[in-house]
Amino acid sequence: MKLEQKVMGGIADFVIRYHKIIPIAAVVLLVLSVIAARNIRVTTQMEDMLPFDNPQVQSIHEIDEAFNSGMSLMITVEGRDKKRMAEAAEAFAAAVRSSPEAMQYVKTINLKMDREFVARWGLMLQKAEDLERTRDTFAELNLLPFLTSLNDSFERTYTGEEAEEEISTHRQESEAVAMLNQLEGFFGLLREYLENPSGTGAETTGKQLAETFLYGDLYGFSPDNTMLLFSILPNFSVDDIQKMIDMTEVIKKIRTDIQKTFPDLTVAYTGEVAVGADEQEAMGFDMLVPALVALVVILLLFTFSFNPIRSVLFALVVLVFGIVYTYGLLGITFKEITMLTSFMAVMLIGLGIDYGIQLVTNYTTYRACGLEPEEALQNTYVRAGMGTFLAALTTAIGFFVMAATGSKALAEFGVLAGMGIICCFTALFFILPSLLLWFVKRDPARTRLPKVEYRFLAGLGKTTFRHKWVTLAIGLVLTGGLLFAAFYNRMEYDVMKLEPAQMTSIKMYYKVLDKFDINIMSAMAVADSVEEARDLQEALEQESLIAEVASVAQFIPSDEQQVARLDEIRKIRAQGARYDAYYSYTPERMEELAYEIQRLEWNVIEIGDLSVAGLGENNKIVAKRNQMIREIFGAEVGKPGAEVFQKVIELIEGDRAAAQAVTTLDRSFAAEMDRIVAAMSRVDRKIKVGDLPDQYTKQFLEEGGSRNLVFAYPVKSATINKEGMLRFNQRMAQISPKITGWVPVLVSWSEDVESGSKKAALFIFLVVFAVMVITFRSFRYAILAAVPLLTGMIWMLGIYPLLGLKLNMLNIAVIPLVIGMGIDFGIHIVHRFRVEKDLETVYLFTGKAVFLSALTTMIGFGSLALIGSFPSIASIGAVLFLGIATCLIATMVLLPALLRFDSRTVKAVENQDFYETREETV
Amino acid sequence: MNRTIKIVVAATVFVLVTFSSAFADEDAREIIREVERRQSTETSKAELSMLVYPDAGDSGNVREFKVISYGRGEEDSYMQFIEPRSIKGLSILSRGGDQWVYFSSTGRVRKIAGKSKKQSVRGVGGDFSYEDLSGGNWGEKYDFRISSSDSKQWVLEGTPKERDSVYSRVLISIDRQRYLATKIEYYTEEEGHYKDLDMSEIKEMGGREVPTRMVMKNYDKNSMTVIITHAMQHDVPIDDKYFNPTRFYK
């Protein structure tokens, strides 16, 4: 103890001697730190928190370099009128194209299928066996024979003697829904025409009918036709955060304009680019606002806790100096802030102020006793300096130890936090006393503001000290109960739930998930060739966990397939006249037409029934069928639907004039069908990559290279819980080790954090305990100091699930921090107890400081929990708030009872009133 | 003399080895015959539930079907869906290699020709293929030998007699006491160990012991199908109309 006192006394002498120079040097250092901090970049990417040699991270970086991350910004248009939604989408795309500000960031816009491409190569994209059936359908293109062939084709494919297709994959489901959409569009047009033949006119309707059937829906509508989705691909990589933000800003402005033009629709955005930009905004808020709020609340607290107020202001200012020094160091070391380190400022405010409080509390109390400033400062250093230093040392060591966990994210966090603690402590230990000596000369007893004395802390300590058995019994029961409750902690694995729910991009993410049953955050793989992409696509399409696969291979069949298809296309080309220009609709033919439409309805109903077998009752085909016809339960009928077929049948059967209208329409329809089929069947060579429109080459192909990107969009259930993600990851790894994306990265990250956090907690505790044993030179005191922490941790983990809260991959990473911070309380109290050997004195001085220190930390993290816009970051605040609170309660209630067992040095001060006499000397 | 003894010993060993394997094959055939004898039935009626798990690891993603099923001989079967509600009344008649489907939603009957034996039964069968559910006895389709045995069971290895068999090899575990198959492992050339069928919860129904829970695991697709038998009757009269393509739906 004498050596400690000598060292601290020496430091006090140094500070007293140079108390005017130290602040000046501090300001110079501050300026240098601000300059260095300009090198820091902020990233929200999870892969940045994983080691570079992680295979998932390497794959992501490979994709990033060659394909600009494969990410996109998606625009959504919601409404009831498909034409109107398409108009809005076209207007949006046009606005982007005509904006140089937007186009500087845009690689390509995938608004819809390229019609010219479909018109030329549409037949080449069908399987040879389908083309064989299509050939029969194209043999006679007048409406009645066409529908008859269509029905025959459906029955052969799904329900007839040669039926082969079983609808069991998501791809088949999507294709079937697309086909139903085509029929819905087709019969919708037919109905409109029959209701008013002179309206749009036979020629226009005929063309529209032909295009609807042969080209299908060029836009990306949801199965229920209430949302249109298209994407804008950026020309920069995911690392370029500023461009991500700027591009999103421009798109938001365009969105506002389009929304005004189409007030009956809802125009919004989502996708990786938008989510990333919104995250930046939220994180910027979270980095600054909670910290400012915390500072203000702390200032108010201190105003009524300390005299004079100037001493507290200096503590806060010096703390800010310490934080700036930390960011200066960050600017020359890691140079980045991640999601895990984004709340560093708040954390350092909460932690660092501890040291300032210790110094200020002791100093002002000694001044209040009548000591001169230099003497008060000497006593502060000698009595409380070592305890404060030990607390800082153990916390810093604890953080540095996180570097040994093997987790890059936790190592970065630990090292940064350790540096921060050292910077804040050093600043407060040297600069603050200098300022106190230089500028705070007034007697703290002379004050106009009411001051809270916190005498209740000493009273509480004395009470539990006296009734130790009762206190310990209650503590044991509580600890046992909460230990049991701790096993009920649950983890939140749906990462999107940790994003700010109010962000437009997140709201739309969920809507797209519901409407399309597809997760837009895709898995990806780089294929070295089109053949490899094809193999991957085929394997992925068989997976029940994959909703959709997109790659260049869907446009480039294999050589063998192309040869077979060209043969079929040649046969289609060789067909003679495909329609009769003078085909007329007699009453008999109208009856047949009505029958064929009825037959088509039956086929659609039966296709829906068969889809239940392969895909379950709640599949999209059944949903679409029920919407366009009616709800069907076997022989029973449920809710009515659009009755697209029956309405046309009614018009045909009910109106004698319909025959003439159909005859006129048919001429135009058949002619247009023939023209399109003839154009499509002109293909006489294989399709190559060079034939693809820009929107596909830019999306899938590496610029100037042969590699291409395969996208696999998971189903909803694959990404909302741990089991789903692990299964997804496992299946993707079995298909190809090249597959990466945010789910594999998330799984890597969660494994990294879970094991890293456990190691970190253990390492920190062991190291801190070892340091305590060394500094106390006693196992007994080290254990006493550790008890509040251990019980506090158990209480925290027990109370957390009782509050209905869930752990997640971010807040579990900071649980080791509670160890680093919570241990300080025990160290301060035990150390001061060894010096004073008097409980009341300990809790009046150090107890008050510990209480205020904990309170300020809780305010800091509490502000994060309450105000933080990121649920993940707010949950970090909640865990830390609870952890500090429980450690504090354990320190104030349990520790005095335990100290009672130190019978050699206990001296109970029963009735002494310390503040009245002011005669207490040190 | 020594040479003579050696020849006699060698000949004896040779005969014993040859005939013992023949005996072993004969044993395997006998075992299979007995199994089939105990399981064969003229007619059967059953109420079943079928649970199809497209992803065996995800118990939450399941398609459940409830059917009533009638069987006649080895080749003829009829099944009608009770649940789910959307396909209630849908019926499938299989006779020989042909199938007919009656859609209660449209009132139509469609004939479907012979299917690929490897395919699932109109998708409804989940991981049970036509081959798995079709009639015909094991002894006719496979050559068996005893692969291993212990006090509780035999494991018979079957190789197909015909080239167009779906499976290149099957391993059937048979309970010695009951002469009941408890597990079948299916192997193919392409996939290797392709599927496993576990049969458990043996109960007496309709006068014979029946595994009421059958679990088929498909290792290629990582999927699973469970068939639970709620009730079963054997050798009871069944109206012929159920096996008549023009009347089965009436």
Side-chain angles (χ1 to χ4, degrees):
Chain A
M1 291 293 279
K2 281 188 181 166
L3 175 63
E4 291 168 11
Q5 287 169 354
K6 259 191 176 172
V7 169
M8 287 298 144
I11 293 174
D13 289 338
F14 172 83
V15 170
I16 291 166
R17 188 176 305 162
Y18 298 108
H19 71 275
K20 289 186 182 177
I21 296 172
I22 291 170
I24 295 167
V27 170
V28 170
L29 197 57
L30 185 78
V31 170
L32 292 173
S33 298
V34 168
I35 294 167
R38 288 165 64 191
N39 294 328
I40 299 170
R41 73 173 191 120
V42 178
T43 174
T44 58
Q45 301 303 319
M46 203 158 279
E47 57 266 21
D48 287 339
M49 294 192 278
L50 287 167
F52 282 119
D53 59 358
N54 180 292
Q56 294 300 331
V57 173
Q58 286 179 333
S59 295
I60 294 263
H61 284 130
E62 187 190 350
I63 292 172
D64 197 28
E65 278 168 27
F67 302 95
N68 293 333
S69 329
M71 61 178 179
S72 63
L73 193 154
M74 293 189 172
I75 306 297
T76 60
V77 180
E78 284 180 274
R80 292 265 158 221
D81 184 337
K82 284 179 75 171
K83 273 187 209 156
R84 194 90 173 115
M85 287 153 70
E87 274 171 33
E90 291 282 354
F92 201 115
V96 170
R97 285 191 193 105
S98 62
S99 161
E101 205 186 357
M103 287 308 288
Q104 64 177 308
Y105 303 116
V106 173
K107 185 156 99 170
T108 190
I109 302 174
N110 282 343
L111 173 63
K112 58 186 178 186
M113 286 276 280
D114 188 299
R115 188 175 138 147
E116 278 175 31
F117 175 74
V118 175
R120 186 172 175 199
W121 298 102
L123 292 182
M124 199 55 150
L125 302 179
Q126 288 188 41
K127 293 181 198 169
E129 48 271 29
D130 291 341
L131 284 170
E132 204 182 321
R133 282 191 284 272
T134 304
R135 177 158 48 94
D136 294 335
T137 313
F138 289 164
E140 285 185 79
L141 293 175
N142 292 97
L143 189 60
L144 174 57
F146 171 72
L147 287 178
T148 307
S149 300
L150 187 65
N151 278 321
D152 293 341
S153 173
F154 275 144
E155 286 165 10
R156 275 201 301 276
T157 308
Y158 294 107
T159 63
E161 276 202 39
E162 298 157 32
E164 291 166 13
E165 291 276 337
E166 284 174 13
I167 306 170
S168 57
T169 68
H170 291 290
R171 169 76 180 246
Q172 288 166 328
E173 185 183 16
S174 299
E175 286 174 351
V177 170
M179 181 265 294
L180 294 183
N181 270 326
Q182 272 170 270
L183 291 176
E184 186 183 37
F186 186 90
F187 283 92
L189 284 167
L190 186 56
R191 178 178 54 76
E192 272 176 34
Y193 171 76
L194 290 174
E195 282 170 348
N196 182 15
S198 56
T200 323
E203 194 171 332
T204 308
T205 304
K207 283 185 179 166
Q208 285 173 343
L209 282 172
E211 286 173 3
T212 300
F213 189 82
L214 289 172
Y215 298 147
D217 221 332
L218 297 177
Y219 296 94
F221 280 100
S222 59
D224 66 359
N225 292 328
T226 58
M227 183 186 277
L228 185 159
L229 185 68
F230 71 94
S231 61
I232 302 174
L233 273 56
N235 58 14
F236 52 84
S237 78
V238 70
D239 287 336
D240 205 326
I241 292 162
Q242 193 53 51
K243 281 188 179 170
M244 199 191 292
I245 295 169
D246 293 341
M247 180 186 180
T248 308
E249 274 312 301
V250 173
I251 295 298
K252 281 182 186 175
K253 282 185 204 153
I254 294 174
R255 173 225 180 179
T256 307
D257 293 338
I258 299 297
Q259 185 67 80
K260 282 182 196 154
T261 313
F262 295 87
D264 52 317
L265 305 175
T266 305
V267 182
Y269 53 85
T270 183
E272 297 99 329
V273 173
V275 170
D278 281 353
E279 279 176 347
Q280 289 293 318
E281 197 181 308
M283 199 180 290
F285 175 91
D286 281 4
M287 277 169 61
L288 188 61
V289 175
L292 289 175
V293 169
L295 272 173
V296 167
V297 175
I298 288 168
L299 185 61
L300 280 171
L301 174 70
F302 286 178
T303 301
F304 299 100
S305 303
F306 295 106
N307 289 313
I309 188 64
R310 215 183 298 176
S311 57
V312 168
L313 282 173
F314 283 146
L316 288 171
V317 166
V318 173
L319 179 60
V320 170
F321 272 45
I323 292 171
V324 174
Y325 296 153
T326 308
Y327 280 99
L329 273 175
L330 179 62
I332 54 178
T333 53
F334 297 116
K335 298 183 186 172
E336 69 176 16
I337 287 179
T338 67
M339 271 200 285
L340 201 51
T341 55
S342 61
F343 67 100
M344 190 58 60
V346 169
M347 194 189 78
L348 289 175
I349 288 172
L351 285 175
I353 199 66
D354 176 30
Y355 316 124
I357 291 171
Q358 290 290 336
L359 292 168
V360 169
T361 308
N362 280 275
Y363 177 76
T364 54
T365 307
Y366 286 127
R367 288 283 287 125
C369 290
L371 294 179
E372 289 302 313
E374 288 82 2
E375 215 179 335
L377 198 66
Q378 269 283 346
N379 278 290
T380 298
Y381 272 106
V382 169
R383 293 274 168 178
M386 184 49 75
T388 308
F389 170 71
L390 279 179
L393 180 68
T394 49
T395 304
I397 289 175
F399 284 138
F400 283 129
V401 156
M402 285 171 82
T405 58
S407 160
K408 182 194 172 207
L410 292 179
E412 255 185 46
F413 179 88
V415 171
L416 182 61
M419 287 190 323
I421 292 296
I422 291 172
C423 289
C424 291
F425 170 78
T426 309
L428 288 161
F429 208 60
F430 289 93
I431 305 169
L432 177 60
S434 304
L435 292 174
L436 289 174
L437 212 53
W438 194 354
F439 297 109
V440 183
K441 295 190 188 311
R442 196 176 60 183
D443 183 353
R446 289 170 43 215
T447 174
R448 282 169 289 179
L449 288 171
K451 193 171 128 210
V452 179
E453 295 294 346
Y454 300 93
R455 292 186 208 190
F456 69 92
L457 294 171
L460 178 63
K462 280 199 301 187
T463 306
T464 60
F465 185 87
R466 279 195 212 108
H467 301 102
K468 68 173 189 253
W469 293 115
V470 173
T471 306
L472 291 175
I474 294 171
L476 211 59
V477 168
L478 192 64
T479 306
L482 288 173
L483 180 62
F484 178 74
F487 288 100
Y488 286 88
N489 272 301
R490 296 286 173 261
M491 285 286 285
E492 177 62 79
Y493 282 96
D494 185 358
V495 169
M496 299 312 280
K497 288 216 168 84
L498 303 180
E499 299 277 358
Q502 73 279 9
M503 287 176 7
T504 302
S505 57
I506 295 298
K507 283 188 206 165
M508 292 325 293
Y509 163 84
Y510 281 110
K511 269 206 171 169
V512 169
L513 198 61
D514 273 334
K515 295 268 183 193
F516 291 84
D517 192 24
I518 194 171
N519 193 322
I520 52 173
M521 306 292 199
S522 63
M524 295 175 284
V526 175
D528 292 323
S529 64
V530 176
E531 289 72 35
E532 190 184 344
R534 190 173 305 112
D535 292 339
L536 270 172
Q537 175 139 9
E538 281 169 13
L540 288 166
E541 281 173 351
Q542 298 305 311
E543 281 302 314
S544 59
L545 295 171
I546 296 289
E548 196 92 19
V549 185
S551 80
V552 70
Q554 68 199 78
F555 302 110
I556 313 282
S558 67
D559 274 350
E560 197 184 324
Q561 287 169 338
Q562 292 205 52
V563 164
R565 293 175 194 193
L566 281 169
D567 190 48
E568 290 299 328
I569 293 171
R570 184 184 52 73
K571 290 174 188 168
I572 294 172
R573 192 164 60 242
Q575 282 173 328
R578 294 193 188 93
Y579 73 101
D580 178 356
Y582 302 102
Y583 198 92
S584 64
Y585 284 79
T586 60
E588 291 74 31
R589 279 185 174 159
M590 289 298 279
E591 255 184 66
E592 281 178 50
L593 183 62
Y595 173 72
E596 288 302 328
I597 296 173
Q598 177 62 71
R599 193 175 152 212
L600 188 54
E601 185 186 79
W602 288 331
N603 278 324
V604 168
I605 291 171
E606 288 164 9
I607 287 167
D609 286 348
L610 291 172
S611 74
V612 172
L615 297 169
E617 205 178 15
N618 300 316
N619 70 69
K620 290 182 229 174
I621 300 169
V622 169
K624 183 69 201 174
R625 177 194 75 177
N626 292 352
Q627 178 241 315
M628 67 190 264
I629 304 176
R630 70 198 79 92
E631 214 174 23
I632 294 160
F633 302 109
E636 295 167 15
V637 169
K639 283 186 244 176
E643 297 288 1
V644 297
F645 301 107
Q646 292 303 316
K647 284 184 177 163
V648 172
I649 293 171
E650 278 165 24
L651 288 165
I652 288 170
E653 288 177 339
D655 183 359
R656 285 175 181 269
Q660 183 52 47
V662 171
T663 301
T664 315
L665 174 70
D666 192 26
R667 283 179 193 151
S668 168
F669 167 72
E672 185 64 13
M673 285 285 282
D674 183 56
R675 188 194 68 74
I676 296 173
V677 169
M680 279 190 183
S681 61
R682 271 189 217 120
V683 166
D684 59 358
R685 63 166 178 83
K686 295 175 192 170
I687 185 172
K688 303 188 299 288
V689 168
D691 296 315
L692 299 182
D694 278 351
Q695 69 188 74
Y696 301 138
T697 53
K698 285 181 178 174
Q699 182 179 4
F700 295 118
L701 297 174
E702 181 186 18
E703 208 168 316
S706 63
R707 292 183 302 172
N708 62 90
L709 209 50
V710 178
F711 294 88
Y713 298 93
V715 295
K716 198 156 97 175
S717 62
T719 56
I720 55 173
N721 56 45
K722 182 181 184 180
E723 292 73 28
M725 286 198 287
L726 287 176
R727 264 198 318 277
F728 181 84
N729 213 32
Q730 193 183 31
R731 289 301 291 167
M732 294 303 106
Q734 280 171 355
I735 292 171
S736 170
K738 286 181 168 187
I739 297 175
T740 184
W742 76 277
V743 171
V745 167
L746 200 60
V747 169
S748 265
W749 159 250
S750 67
E751 282 167 357
D752 187 67
V753 163
E754 279 188 65
S755 80
S757 298
K758 285 177 192 162
K759 277 187 207 166
L762 187 63
F763 289 171
I764 289 173
F765 182 77
L766 287 175
V767 167
V768 160
F769 189 77
V771 170
M772 283 197 301
V773 168
I774 291 166
T775 51
F776 284 136
R777 287 183 290 277
S778 161
F779 263 109
R780 185 157 48 100
Y781 282 113
I783 290 169
L784 279 175
V787 165
L789 168 69
L790 291 171
T791 44
M793 287 288 293
I794 292 171
W795 292 353
M796 176 196 80
L797 290 170
I799 292 170
Y800 204 74
L802 295 177
L803 294 174
L805 299 172
K806 278 188 190 177
L807 295 171
N808 57 64
M809 282 165 283
L810 280 172
N811 69 16
I812 206 174
V814 302
I815 286 178
L817 290 190
V818 179
I819 300 173
M821 294 189 285
I823 196 70
D824 284 0
F825 306 156
I827 290 174
H828 281 305
I829 298 291
V830 169
H831 188 272
R832 194 63 187 263
F833 186 75
R834 290 184 77 194
V835 171
E836 303 291 349
K837 300 179 181 23
D838 167 48
L839 197 77
E840 183 154 2
T841 308
V842 169
Y843 276 86
L844 278 172
F845 282 83
T846 303
K848 173 183 169 180
V850 163
F851 182 78
L852 285 171
S853 167
L855 210 57
T856 52
T857 309
M858 284 160 63
I859 289 168
F861 293 128
S863 69
L864 207 56
L866 289 173
I867 302 168
S869 53
F870 253 105
S872 53
I873 294 177
S875 71
I876 287 173
V879 159
L880 292 170
F881 175 89
L882 202 53
I884 296 301
T886 51
C887 287
L888 176 67
I889 293 168
T891 304
M892 294 295 151
V893 174
L894 280 187
L895 189 52
L898 289 168
L899 287 172
R900 185 73 194 272
F901 288 99
D902 189 30
S903 57
R904 285 182 300 168
T905 56
V906 160
K907 185 175 82 181
V909 178
E910 298 289 342
N911 298 308
Q912 186 179 8
D913 187 329
F914 179 77
Y915 285 95
E916 280 178 8
T917 61
R918 283 199 197 174
E919 285 171 3
E920 177 86 13
T921 53
V922 284
Chain B
M1 195 62 170
N2 280 342
R3 190 160 175 246
T4 309
I5 290 171
K6 280 182 189 170
I7 291 169
V8 167
V9 166
T12 308
V13 166
F14 174 75
V15 164
L16 281 173
V17 166
T18 307
F19 278 94
S20 71
S21 79
F23 281 138
D25 286 352
E26 182 59 30
D27 283 343
R29 272 199 292 273
E30 282 303 314
I31 293 166
I32 278 293
R33 266 193 218 124
E34 182 60 21
V35 169
E36 284 171 343
R37 188 190 68 76
R38 292 190 185 206
Q39 294 305 311
S40 76
T41 170
E42 289 297 316
T43 62
S44 66
K45 273 188 192 177
E47 284 173 37
L48 309 168
S49 286
M50 188 180 297
L51 295 98
V52 180
Y53 298 86
D55 178 357
D58 184 1
S59 58
N61 180 13
V62 58
R63 299 195 282 272
E64 190 168 347
F65 305 95
K66 281 205 172 112
V67 301
I68 54 171
S69 161
Y70 300 151
R72 185 176 72 180
E74 304 286 356
E75 300 273 314
D76 300 347
S77 68
Y78 164 90
M79 84 176 165
Q80 187 188 99
F81 286 88
I82 309 300
E83 282 179 28
R85 193 180 162 203
S86 53
I87 53 172
K88 184 178 175 180
L90 190 142
S91 312
I92 303 175
L93 166 64
S94 300
R95 272 185 60 178
D98 294 327
Q99 268 199 334
W100 291 261
V101 178
Y102 166 68
F103 293 93
S104 53
S105 51
T106 58
R108 297 203 302 177
V109 176
R110 313 292 310 157
K111 182 170 181 245
I112 304 163
K115 299 288 99 198
S116 159
K117 290 180 186 176
K118 201 176 178 182
Q119 275 181 306
S120 171
V121 180
R122 300 307 302 158
V124 179
D127 299 295
F128 287 86
S129 66
Y130 284 97
E131 170 83 4
D132 301 331
L133 299 175
S134 67
N137 56 48
W138 287 104
E140 283 173 9
K141 291 192 280 186
Y142 292 88
D143 288 320
F144 284 96
R145 67 173 193 87
I146 297 175
S147 172
S148 66
S149 68
D150 58 35
S151 57
K152 288 191 179 160
Q153 67 174 16
W154 296 287
V155 178
L156 304 189
E157 181 180 349
T159 44
K161 288 180 177 173
E162 289 179 24
R163 279 192 176 182
D164 68 342
S165 171
V166 171
Y167 306 113
S168 59
R169 188 166 75 103
V170 294
L171 283 176
I172 307 180
S173 302
I174 295 169
D175 182 300
R176 270 183 185 258
Q177 207 178 7
R178 293 169 164 146
Y179 279 86
L180 208 58
T182 55
K183 180 170 181 172
I184 305 175
E185 294 176 28
Y186 300 89
Y187 294 82
T188 63
E189 292 289 348
E190 203 179 309
E191 287 97 2
H193 188 178
Y194 182 47
K195 299 195 291 195
D196 274 349
L197 173 62
D198 284 286
M199 290 167 278
S200 59
E201 295 181 23
I202 295 167
K203 293 179 185 167
E204 195 180 306
M205 282 186 181
R208 56 185 76 200
E209 286 183 315
V210 166
T212 58
R213 183 180 176 85
M214 297 198 289
V215 179
M216 182 73 89
K217 284 182 194 159
N218 186 320
Y219 296 114
D220 182 49
K221 292 186 203 167
N222 200 36
S223 56
M224 184 171 74
T225 304
V226 179
I227 294 180
I228 299 169
T229 306
H230 301 292
M232 188 173 261
Q233 295 171 283
H234 301 281
D235 296 324
V236 290
I238 297 176
D239 192 333
D240 275 344
K241 75 168 191 177
Y242 289 108
F243 305 103
N244 186 325
T246 59
R247 291 170 53 213
F248 75 98
Y249 51 93
K250 290 182 182 165

